[in-house]
Amino acid sequence: MLQQVNGHNPGSDGQAREYLREDLQEFLGGEVLLYKLDDLTRVNPVTLETVLRCLQARYMADTFYTNAGCTLVALNPFKPVPQLYSPELMREYHAAPQPQKLKPHVFTVGEQTYRNVKSLIEPVNQSIVVSGESGAGKTWTSRCLMKFYAVVATSPASWESHKIAERIEQRILNSNPVMEAFGNACTLRNNNSSRFGKFIQLQLNRAQQMTGAAVQTYLLEKTRVACQASSERNFHIFYQICKGASEDERLQWHLPEGAAFSWLPNPERSLEEDCFEVTREAMLHLGIDTPTQNNIFKVLAGLLHLGNIQFAASEDEAQPCQPMDDAKCEDSVRTAASLLGLPEDVLLEMVQIRTIRAGRQQQVFRKPCARAECDTRRDCLAKLIYARLFDWLVSVINSSICADTDSWTTFIGLLDVYGFESFPDNSLEQLCINYANEKLQQHFVAHYLRAQQEEYAVEGLEWSFINYQDNQPCLDLIEGSPISICSLINEECRLNRPSSAAQLQTRIETALAGSPCLGHNKLSREPSFIVVHYAGPVRYHTAGLVEKNKDPIPPELTRLLQQSQDPLLMGLFPTNPKEKTQEEPPGQSRAPVLTVVSKFKASLEQLLQVLHSTTPHYIRCIKPNSQGQAQTFLQEEVLSQLEACGLVETIHISAAGFPIRVSHRNFVERYKLLRRLHPCTSSGPDSPYPAKGLPEWCPHSEEATLEPLIQDILHTLPVLTQAAAITGDSAEAMPAPMHCGRTKVFMTDSMLELLECGRARVLEQCARCIQGGWRRHRHREQERQWRAVMLIQAAIRSWLTRKHIQRLHAAATVIKRAWQKWRIRMACLAAKELDGVEEKHFSQAPCSLSTSPLQTRLLEAIIRLWPLGLVLANTAMGVGSFQRKLVVWACLQLPRGSPSSYTVQTAQDQAGVTSIRALPQGSIKFHCRKSPLRYADICPEPSPYSITGFNQILLERHRLIHVTSSAFTGLG
């Protein structure tokens, strides 16, 4: 079965090995294409050598992220790559329909967790476990994830909400430099090594917007304050205040230029983390004002001066040890007491003399301390102050960024813990750190390796179990019951006797001799024991283990700090009589002292409970070399990390297994649409997924109902495969494995893509059908609306036309009647005027011979110019018109010449005879034929009494009289 999983044909072992060797050589020969493999599950065959070569090829091509099935492998570039973490790239991964189709990146994991919270009906909390050795880039990865969530999870609509979201985002991001300044230090393997573990809880509301965060810390390495290994440094904050303080601050904190401090080794090294202004700005954004900051830095400066206090051995045991007789030591005592707000003599007394309470009456005895004990009490005072200060900073950060319980519903957790450590001198700190890594490795193994294989067996799937590396024997050695390393160390702390390193070694080797993970080093001169961890063997020195596990805090030191006049120390060490510390139990009710190992184990168990309640995601950080050099890939170091983290086993199961598991009900609800692609739902012999692939038994009637539906869905797979082949996707056209278990359907990523493509096709068809029906309905509605509009418009236009025609008819009738009345009136006036002229002519004819010549010429001019006056008075043309000039020429008998050389005076401007009856009806004709006038043709010669120019008008007399009579008849 394993050969089938790895893709080999069954046969003899020799043929299989020969085929494997040829396949491996062919793969390794094509190294040019190795950097194109985004997923290590595509490496065939999956071996340490092939995976190593693939990672090396991608690293040299500046490709630092690679998928390994369900895990993301992150290689530390050891150089700045700003374009790889820009906000534009964050938005690109956030806006992508399928982020997994993009290149592997830490943003892919962040977007996947965010969409899991956003898409589920009942959201499940998510967690990201960032693991790896010290210096592999865990802190940077966690920082990038926090920036990503701060960008994509804050998109409010209102401006006020936007300002609140910006403030939350800024505070969450500003918590990083503060935590790193007070909790990180430079070690042999990493310039910015986290000396504490932290679990950051990013809180989201129902709209998946970030409303706050919470930080939980684990096991601060407070011993680093007073003890640093060779070539290592103290916490970053001490170097920041010494290098970044101003002149006034140096005078205030007693930190002169070039001052030497015992607890500040390697001050000449300059690191990127030594940026004092960034830390101060971040603290200001978190709500720590400038006076409080100065108070914090003053206390830290006091700890540096406290470390310069050196004691000389006392010749008399009854006398306390005195500080060394030099000016530097005396100045350090005075300065430390001043900066910490303590009396100088009281500070020295509490460090030099130990107080012992004995008997039922709790009698107090004072015992001078030896030189070594004085140094221990001095270091204990510094560690106590720094630990309380660190816890106070964490509480301030949480109060600044944590949201109310009612304002958030889900969270995304980021776990950044110490990496696996192995130094020449390993003590209790390294034992706890490696113990935590063992627990996380077990969680990973249980979640992705052992749980998957066991689930396949429970569901009835045939599966080839891969021999993964189980670290349960190592955990039994460290924390097992009833006897383990931790139990033996705690027992030594409870015994009222001086601890011996050699005796502790003997007890461990004797009691745990049967453990396969316990080693021995007989050549070592120092008492020690060896633990074979999943990442390799580590030798731990037993000297000082019991004392560090006790972590004794003398009660007189606590009372000393309660007497401090410093405002910060007064808040860190309140004088509350109700509080009873573990160092000062009341007499007979003495309880077992809570050791460092016990507290760390309890907090680790609580953390694992949180991880088990979430959906975990893993990022494995790999360190290409231990020197921190870019473009340097050391195969031996990377190979040891690959073996330690079980990466190859993860790739085996992810590549050959079924990472997608869906319950029957959810599978049917999501993919029942695919039955539309296959009209015939009955199973046939040609189906690649016959009914026998389904379980033969169903524990519940619901399963029996869902079984035929699942079978119908499986019958559509050939149609989907053919469609994928037609579209040209050869990867999806290949038959993808899929199995139906008793309660779940197991499939690969390729099968999931095939089903999603088919579902998208069906939804597209349904959408087109709905769109067609809607468009048809809209078209019909529009047609009915157009017909109605046209009908209404036609009715309105016909009504308007009728109204217009009626108005025209009425106006025409009025005009016609007015015209007829005017014609009749004019005819009557013309007839009367004509009759009056005739009578006047007849009455004046007998006395014409007695008139004077002047009167005769005037009468002739009047008679001759009468038609001219008639025309000029009634014509609509102007004086200068052509028709008017013709009439003037004809009446005045002017010679033909230039019209402009004559002036015409109209009859309207002179006295004369005018008539309004004779409107010009065309041209006026003058003739003497058949004239009805009396005396018209008696005198052939012109006489002053003859009238000319009326012939045409007089000829119309009978017709006008006839018209007038008919009009009156009509009106009557």
Side-chain angles (χ1 to χ4, degrees):
M1 184 63 186
L2 181 59
Q3 293 176 351
Q4 295 179 4
V5 169
N6 290 335
H8 301 295
N9 296 325
S12 61
D13 294 340
Q15 293 178 353
R17 285 193 296 269
E18 184 67 19
Y19 177 82
L20 179 62
R21 189 179 300 108
E22 293 177 358
D23 193 8
L24 179 60
Q25 291 176 358
E26 180 181 358
F27 173 76
L28 295 179
E31 188 174 353
V32 181
L33 302 177
L34 287 179
Y35 69 94
K36 295 183 179 180
L37 295 176
D38 292 337
D39 199 329
L40 294 179
T41 57
R42 299 179 183 178
V43 177
N44 190 24
V46 181
T47 61
L48 279 175
E49 291 78 10
T50 55
V51 170
L52 189 63
R53 297 289 296 274
C54 181
L55 290 176
Q56 183 176 7
R58 292 177 63 82
Y59 183 75
M60 301 308 294
D62 287 344
T63 305
F64 308 110
Y65 292 101
T66 308
N67 290 325
C70 53
T71 307
L72 178 68
V73 180
L75 296 172
N76 194 339
F78 289 122
K79 64 178 181 180
V81 191
Q83 69 275 8
L84 196 60
Y85 307 99
S86 61
E88 293 77 13
L89 192 62
M90 296 180 187
R91 297 185 183 94
E92 179 182 354
Y93 275 85
H94 179 60
Q98 294 179 339
Q100 62 273 12
K101 294 294 185 67
L102 301 178
K103 293 182 179 180
H105 202 284
V106 64
F107 298 154
T108 307
V109 181
E111 181 62 22
Q112 183 180 358
T113 57
Y114 183 70
R115 293 192 181 186
N116 287 349
V117 173
K118 188 176 182 180
S119 61
L120 297 179
I121 298 176
E122 293 185 1
V124 178
N125 297 326
Q126 307 288 311
S127 61
I128 301 177
V129 180
V130 184
S131 60
E133 290 191 2
S134 179
K138 301 184 302 299
T139 302
W140 174 259
T141 301
S142 301
R143 190 187 306 171
C144 292
L145 286 171
M146 292 183 64
K147 290 183 179 179
F148 176 79
Y149 289 124
V151 171
V152 304
T154 52
S155 56
S158 64
W159 175 254
E160 182 179 359
S161 300
H162 181 69
K163 301 297 292 183
I164 296 175
E166 280 187 350
R167 185 172 67 252
I168 294 174
E169 171 189 351
Q170 190 65 30
R171 287 182 177 181
I172 292 174
L173 295 180
N174 284 326
S175 64
N176 270 333
V178 177
M179 299 291 288
E180 291 180 8
F182 286 85
N184 291 18
C186 176
T187 62
L188 294 175
R189 296 189 175 185
N190 186 9
N191 291 338
N192 191 30
S193 177
S194 298
R195 308 320 299 164
F196 70 103
K198 62 176 178 290
F199 182 73
I200 304 174
Q201 190 182 72
L202 303 177
Q203 301 161 348
L204 306 176
N205 59 11
R206 296 185 181 274
Q208 286 75 45
Q209 297 176 0
M210 188 182 301
T211 59
V215 181
Q216 185 178 0
T217 59
Y218 304 94
L219 192 64
L220 173 69
E221 190 187 9
K222 56 185 178 182
T223 57
R224 183 169 291 270
V225 177
C227 181
Q228 304 85 27
S230 178
S231 301
E232 292 190 355
R233 300 204 318 174
N234 208 326
F235 291 104
H236 293 321
I237 188 62
F238 291 104
Y239 298 90
Q240 290 181 3
I241 61 176
C242 290
K243 295 181 179 180
S246 62
E247 293 297 332
D248 296 338
E249 292 171 343
R250 289 181 183 277
L251 294 176
Q252 183 182 358
W253 302 336
H254 299 277
L255 297 175
E257 286 283 355
F261 297 97
S262 301
W263 291 349
L264 203 67
N266 304 313
E268 69 280 355
R269 295 185 59 181
S270 296
L271 301 178
E272 182 183 355
E273 290 75 19
D274 297 340
C275 188
F276 189 44
E277 293 300 326
V278 173
T279 303
R280 300 200 67 162
E281 187 71 18
M283 296 175 70
L284 194 62
H285 283 290
L286 291 174
I288 305 175
D289 54 9
T290 303
T292 306
Q293 293 182 25
N294 294 333
N295 199 354
I296 294 173
F297 302 142
K298 184 183 70 172
V299 171
L300 294 177
L303 296 183
L304 291 179
H305 286 282
L306 184 65
N308 284 346
I309 302 177
Q310 303 295 330
F311 293 92
S314 177
E315 298 179 357
D316 186 4
E317 294 182 358
Q319 297 297 326
C321 297
Q322 298 298 326
M324 290 186 177
D325 295 333
D326 57 352
K328 179 179 179 182
C329 186
E330 294 178 358
D331 185 66
S332 297
V333 174
R334 183 169 53 255
T335 305
S338 174
L339 293 176
L340 296 177
L342 298 172
E344 181 181 349
D345 53 347
V346 178
L347 174 62
L348 277 179
E349 180 182 355
M350 291 300 175
V351 174
Q352 294 170 343
I353 300 176
R354 179 165 54 123
T355 303
I356 301 175
R357 295 178 180 271
R360 294 183 178 180
Q361 298 180 357
Q362 293 293 306
Q363 296 181 359
V364 179
F365 299 92
R366 296 167 61 86
K367 179 183 178 182
C369 299
R371 176 182 177 182
E373 190 174 358
C374 289
D375 293 340
T376 303
R377 293 171 69 87
R378 176 202 60 198
D379 298 347
C380 181
L381 181 63
K383 291 187 294 183
L384 177 61
I385 294 175
Y386 195 83
R388 290 284 184 94
L389 177 60
F390 185 81
D391 294 339
W392 178 80
L393 280 175
V394 173
S395 64
V396 170
I397 291 174
N398 284 331
S399 63
S400 176
I401 64 178
C402 188
D404 297 335
T405 308
D406 300 334
S407 63
W408 61 277
T409 56
T410 56
F411 69 86
I412 299 176
L414 301 179
L415 179 60
D416 178 15
V417 295
Y418 354 73
F420 185 83
E421 292 186 350
S422 178
F423 300 115
D425 187 8
N426 302 288
S427 188
L428 184 66
E429 293 82 9
Q430 283 69 40
L431 180 62
C432 293
I433 288 173
N434 295 336
Y435 167 54
N437 281 272
E438 289 282 354
K439 295 291 287 186
L440 292 176
Q441 176 68 13
Q442 185 190 44
H443 179 265
F444 174 76
V445 169
H447 187 269
Y448 276 104
L449 305 183
R450 185 173 58 200
Q452 285 191 9
Q453 296 187 26
E454 290 178 356
E455 186 176 11
Y456 296 154
V458 170
E459 290 290 334
L461 271 69
E462 296 181 0
W463 181 251
S464 174
F465 285 90
I466 299 175
N467 295 324
Y468 55 85
Q469 186 177 358
D470 193 357
N471 63 341
Q472 186 59 43
C474 183
L475 289 173
D476 293 338
L477 174 65
I478 298 175
E479 64 169 5
S481 179
I483 300 176
S484 63
I485 295 177
C486 292
S487 64
L488 292 176
I489 296 176
N490 289 334
E491 185 178 352
E492 287 290 331
C493 294
R494 289 192 297 268
L495 295 177
N496 190 13
R497 65 181 184 185
S499 60
S500 173
Q503 186 178 1
L504 179 60
Q505 176 190 0
T506 304
R507 291 197 63 188
I508 291 175
E509 292 178 353
T510 304
L512 303 172
S515 176
C517 295
L518 181 65
H520 307 279
N521 188 5
K522 297 181 180 180
L523 300 178
S524 176
R525 296 181 180 180
E526 299 178 356
S528 62
F529 60 91
I530 297 176
V531 177
V532 182
H533 293 280
Y534 74 95
V538 179
R539 185 168 65 97
Y540 299 96
H541 295 278
T542 56
L545 271 180
V546 178
E547 287 74 13
K548 290 182 178 181
N549 189 35
K550 288 181 180 179
D551 193 18
I553 302 176
E556 56 267 21
L557 294 183
T558 305
R559 289 194 296 267
L560 170 65
L561 294 175
Q562 290 176 351
Q563 301 174 10
S564 174
Q565 300 302 318
D566 184 79
L568 179 62
L569 293 180
M570 292 174 61
L572 297 179
F573 299 93
T575 57
N576 191 352
K578 296 182 179 180
E579 293 184 354
K580 293 183 180 180
T581 61
Q582 66 175 18
E583 303 86 4
E584 197 174 6
Q588 301 297 330
S589 61
R590 175 176 289 247
V593 177
L594 192 62
T595 61
V596 173
V597 171
S598 301
K599 291 188 291 186
F600 182 73
K601 184 179 179 180
S603 62
L604 189 59
E605 291 295 334
Q606 182 182 3
L607 173 63
L608 290 174
Q609 289 180 2
V610 174
L611 293 180
H612 283 299
S613 65
T614 62
T615 301
H617 305 265
Y618 289 89
I619 300 178
R620 295 291 192 183
C621 298
I622 302 296
K623 183 169 56 175
N625 59 85
S626 58
Q627 291 78 24
Q629 298 178 357
Q631 294 294 316
T632 302
F633 192 92
L634 300 181
Q635 295 188 3
E636 294 78 8
E637 296 184 9
V638 176
L639 185 61
S640 63
Q641 298 177 61
L642 294 179
E643 291 175 342
C645 66
L647 188 61
V648 175
E649 287 78 7
T650 305
I651 296 172
H652 270 298
I653 289 187
S654 298
F658 307 96
I660 310 299
R661 298 179 297 273
V662 185
S663 64
H664 287 173
R665 168 176 287 276
N666 293 338
F667 183 81
V668 171
E669 288 182 356
R670 184 166 183 82
Y671 299 112
K672 61 184 178 181
L673 296 174
L674 297 178
R675 295 189 298 167
R676 295 173 177 264
L677 299 176
H678 197 274
C680 181
T681 58
S682 61
S683 60
D686 299 333
S687 177
Y689 300 93
K692 65 181 181 180
L694 294 171
E696 297 179 357
W697 61 276
C698 295
H700 197 267
S701 59
E702 182 182 359
E703 298 295 333
T705 305
L706 295 177
E707 182 177 348
L709 298 178
I710 296 176
Q711 183 177 351
D712 294 342
I713 295 174
L714 296 181
H715 290 159
T716 62
L717 294 180
V719 180
L720 299 178
T721 305
Q722 294 176 2
I726 292 174
T727 56
D729 196 344
S730 58
E732 294 184 0
M734 297 296 293
M738 180 177 179
H739 295 279
C740 292
R742 294 185 175 93
T743 60
K744 297 179 182 179
V745 178
F746 295 82
M747 69 187 80
T748 59
D749 292 332
S750 58
M751 173 56 68
L752 181 64
E753 290 188 14
L754 190 65
L755 292 174
E756 288 295 328
C757 290
R759 184 172 180 270
R761 285 177 51 199
V762 175
L763 292 177
E764 185 179 359
Q765 293 177 1
C766 295
R768 289 180 178 178
C769 182
I770 295 173
Q771 287 178 355
W774 172 251
R775 289 171 180 171
R776 184 167 54 252
H777 171 73
R778 286 294 304 273
H779 182 70
R780 291 176 180 176
E781 289 293 328
Q782 290 179 357
E783 287 292 333
R784 286 196 292 267
Q785 292 176 2
W786 277 111
R787 287 196 296 268
V789 168
M790 294 174 64
L791 182 62
I792 294 173
Q793 288 180 350
I796 292 176
R797 287 171 180 170
S798 63
W799 180 80
L800 292 176
T801 304
R802 285 195 300 271
K803 286 293 183 180
H804 182 64
I805 292 176
Q806 290 176 1
R807 287 195 298 270
L808 291 179
H809 276 289
T813 302
V814 172
I815 295 172
K816 181 179 179 180
R817 290 177 180 176
W819 171 252
Q820 290 177 353
K821 290 179 181 180
W822 184 82
R823 288 285 302 273
I824 294 172
R825 188 179 298 112
M826 291 298 102
C828 294
L829 292 176
K832 291 180 180 181
E833 183 179 350
L834 185 60
D835 294 340
V837 171
E838 291 180 355
E839 292 176 358
K840 185 177 180 179
H841 175 71
F842 290 143
S843 59
Q844 292 179 357
C847 57
S848 60
L849 296 176
S850 59
T851 59
S852 63
L854 179 62
Q855 293 178 348
T856 302
R857 287 194 299 271
L858 180 61
L859 182 61
E860 290 179 355
I862 291 173
I863 295 174
R864 187 181 300 110
L865 294 178
W866 179 82
L868 177 62
L870 182 64
V871 172
L872 294 178
N874 294 277
T875 181
M877 304 295 290
V879 178
S881 63
F882 179 72
Q883 182 179 1
R884 198 167 190 178
K885 291 180 179 180
L886 291 178
V887 175
V888 171
W889 291 337
C891 296
L892 298 180
Q893 296 180 1
L894 297 175
R896 298 185 179 273
S898 175
S900 60
S901 59
Y902 303 101
T903 59
V904 179
Q905 185 177 4
T906 61
Q908 296 173 350
D909 300 332
Q910 62 184 6
V913 180
T914 60
S915 176
I916 62 173
R917 64 173 284 272
L919 292 176
Q921 301 290 334
S923 60
I924 300 175
K925 298 180 180 180
F926 297 92
H927 55 83
C928 300
R929 187 175 51 188
K930 296 181 181 180
S931 175
L933 296 178
R934 193 178 304 175
Y935 310 113
D937 50 359
I938 295 177
C939 295
E941 294 181 357
S943 62
Y945 303 103
S946 62
I947 299 175
T948 61
F950 296 99
N951 296 332
Q952 183 65 27
I953 299 176
L954 295 177
L955 290 175
E956 298 292 335
R957 176 183 179 185
H958 299 287
R959 188 178 67 84
L960 291 175
I961 295 173
H962 178 69
V963 171
T964 303
S965 61
S966 62
F968 279 109
T969 304
L971 292 175

